[in-house]
Amino acid sequence: MNDTPNTDPPDSRPRDTQEPPERAPAPRTAGKRIRNALLAIDSWIDSTIYSGGVRLRGAWDGFVAFTERFNVQGPGRWAISLASEGMTWGAVGAVLVLALAVPAFHETSDDWLKKAELSVTFLDRYGNTIGERGIRHNDTVPLEEFPDHLIKAVLATEDRRFYEHFGIDIPGTFRAVLSNARAGGVVQGGSSLTQQLAKNLFLSNERTLERKIKEAFLALWLEFHLTKNQILKLYLDRAYMGGGAFGVDAAAQYYFGKSARDVNLAEAAMLAGLFKAPSKFAPHVNLPAARGRASVVLDNLVDAGFMTEGQVFGARRNPATPIDRKQDDLPEYYLDYAFDQVKQIVDTLPRGYAERSFVVRTALDPNIQKAADTAIRDSLKQFGKDYGAKQSAMVVMEPNGAVRAMVGGRDYGESQFNRATDALRQPGSSFKPFVYTAALMTGKYKPTTIVVDGPICIGNWCPQNYGRSYAGSIQLIGALTRSLNTVAVKLAEAIGRGRIVDLAHAMGLRTELKITRALPLGAAEVTVVDMATAYSVFASGGYSVDPHAIVEMRTPAGDPVWSFAQNAPKPKQIIPPEIIAMINPMLNSVVENGTGRRAMIPGTKVSGKTGTTNAYRDAWFVGFTGNYVGAIWFGNDDYASTKKMTGGSLPAMTWQKVMAFAHQGIELKPTPGLGNQPAPKLDGAVAQAAPLEIEGVQRPVTLTPASAERLMGLSARLREAAAQPVRRPTAAAEPVSLPGSPQAGSN
């Protein structure tokens, strides 16, 4: 055994058994560079932020040291602190106020002084003027031609410091705030005359902080762009003065029949008193209130030092007396309805259309209108107390939708709310014709179909008939004639209430008809004009009807603008003729054999349906002939129950008086589905009912559409001829007669 250590070098071993020596891995040069670059960036950011903070802190310390020189101790410190805070919050408030005022400035376009309101003169179907809507406006009177006492009365009442402030009367505002605080309410306004003008020109009457801020900014804007006299002139010309009059001159013409140039002190005081509340102090509405307000204006003249007590003494002793403006015979509700339609038509005219004054021929028949007014007034006066009914509304139209008359309440002077177009009331059983028509249109029912009148319950709701009895097996026509509730409910269950709603909407009911269990009994709410429209589909042979008061619109020069014949949508067949031939005889049976017997007209076939709601709150009759359709409602504005008034009582009686008058002296047209069946003989109370008589009114023969068109064409030609200048012969063409000549003295 050899103990000698092996001293051979490692590489002396055989090459095939020698392991290669380990080599260190090559450095990742690219990764190191990126890592180092990121570390450098991070270091730079950290050092920059740190050094920046140090410099900023040093600068702040230097600023603090500098401001310490101005440090004020004692009471002065608090004053400066409060002033600083006030300026800060004032700047914030100014920014907020400006942000609120920016939308108002959008109204101040280049043509804001030229804005014109809608002005419409209405004619009846024969071309006679029946009223006006829109503005009565005249801004042609220069400021220097207004009487001195009129201008003083306005300034003394509305803004005594008008020529002294810059658009906002700060002392006057504080004075008004103190006065209102002492009185516990609003007794004195704080807005300057310029602010009121800004509101009249650009803003609404809503009482909000946002509007007041906009009003203040716009007042400053007006003061910057206009002189004081221009602002005063605009105020006198643009303020609403009641009675549809805008501006002092238009108001003077309306209330006193004279120009503002000619009003005396008493009249000027009454006009100046209208600026505050024209509807409250209008002399044609409340003369005592208007005179009381005029007396306050005279006090203001004396208090402001503009006049002495001796100068206003005569006006106190002899207050102004306006001309008689009672217009009880004007169709005010109809004019409101027509004016709304005019505004809708104007909105559809091209954007570039600048005309704002129109002459509009309506479909109004003045005699039918007077008949409706008289009949409703007499019915309420004679029977209203007995039945516990205080209000009524009625619409009469032709089967094509032309509205011939509209009554929106018993007295327009007491209430301008139009119950014919805006009041939502339940129609009761007058809704049932839509149920029966929808059932007939399914093809599963006919007027002679036998149905069972018996008890029915839907959940916990069990409707009953009016007499709380049942007829058993009965034909469909008999069920409608007797207005059986259970049959209507069973039909609705069989065909689906959605089908009924779709048909009613297609026929002209525009209000929401909620699908409830009581829908077939008239539980949904409708308007009188919509009910008349829907029944017009029956009278028109199943065609859709567009209710309209406007026949045509023209400019004051006679240029055509819009006409119903050319611009209105064309009617569409909604109910097939074979269904009309079924439902109309059923509705005729209601009048001749059922609940509507009091609506029968001598010599005329009448179809229709009565309606009475729960607790006798509403009573209806809606009926039609081949010539006219009428819907009438009686009830109370507060939904109070009547004294068991049904649709077959006062509503049917009043409807009969109006429609009997309307059918006098006209060509009677057959009702679709009834043909030329002879009119029934009248008996009982219907035969004994006295015909409606209106003093000084006789029913004229109704013009046919062709005759009306020829009449309007003749009127247009007469207007054109009147507008042509008169041609006079020249001096050279006139015969000269010299003394002694043969022509001298000859005839």
Side-chain angles (χ1 to χ4, degrees), residues 476 535 547 648 696:
L476 210 62
Y535 273 64

Side-chain angles (χ1 to χ4, degrees), residues 331-338 362-364 369 403-406 549:
E332 301 287 4
Y333 290 112
Y334 190 100
L335 292 177
D336 288 346
Y337 174 67
T362 69
L364 177 79
Q369 178 67 46
V403 180
R404 298 301 184 200
M406 176 178 290

Side-chain angles (χ1 to χ4, degrees), residues 322-337:
I323 61 178
D324 187 10
R325 285 292 182 184
K326 290 184 178 180
Q327 300 174 330
D328 297 337
D329 57 338
L330 288 185
E332 301 287 4
Y333 290 112
Y334 190 100
L335 292 177
D336 288 346
Y337 174 67

Side-chain angles (χ1 to χ4, degrees), residues 68-205:
E68 285 292 336
R69 304 176 185 176
F70 305 98
N71 189 21
V72 179
Q73 300 297 329
R77 180 177 182 180
W78 291 103
I80 294 175
S81 179
L82 290 175
S84 177
E85 290 295 329
M87 292 177 63
T88 301
W89 288 107
V92 174
V95 172
L96 292 176
V97 169
L98 183 60
L100 292 173
V102 166
F105 289 134
H106 293 164
E107 300 292 335
T108 58
S109 57
D110 293 337
D111 61 345
W112 63 274
L113 280 175
K114 301 178 181 178
K115 286 184 179 179
E117 299 293 335
L118 200 61
S119 176
V120 184
T121 299
F122 288 102
L123 313 177
D124 63 17
R125 63 179 306 196
Y126 305 111
N128 303 310
T129 301
I130 55 174
E132 297 176 344
R133 282 296 184 272
I135 68 168
R136 297 180 182 90
H137 184 211
N138 182 17
D139 58 359
T140 60
V141 181
L143 182 64
E144 55 269 17
E145 294 186 14
F146 283 107
D148 181 66
H149 51 258
L150 174 59
I151 293 178
K152 288 181 177 179
V154 173
L155 294 179
T157 304
E158 299 299 316
D159 191 352
R160 300 178 186 180
R161 290 169 35 84
F162 172 68
Y163 283 99
E164 301 173 15
H165 60 66
F166 55 89
I168 302 175
D169 185 9
I170 296 178
T173 301
F174 278 108
R175 183 173 60 251
V177 171
L178 293 175
S179 299
N180 296 335
R182 284 195 296 265
V186 179
V187 296
Q188 184 175 348
S191 296
S192 67
L193 188 146
T194 312
Q195 289 176 273
Q196 295 179 53
L197 177 62
K199 181 187 68 175
N200 294 338
L201 290 178
F202 306 115
L203 305 174
S204 65
N205 289 323

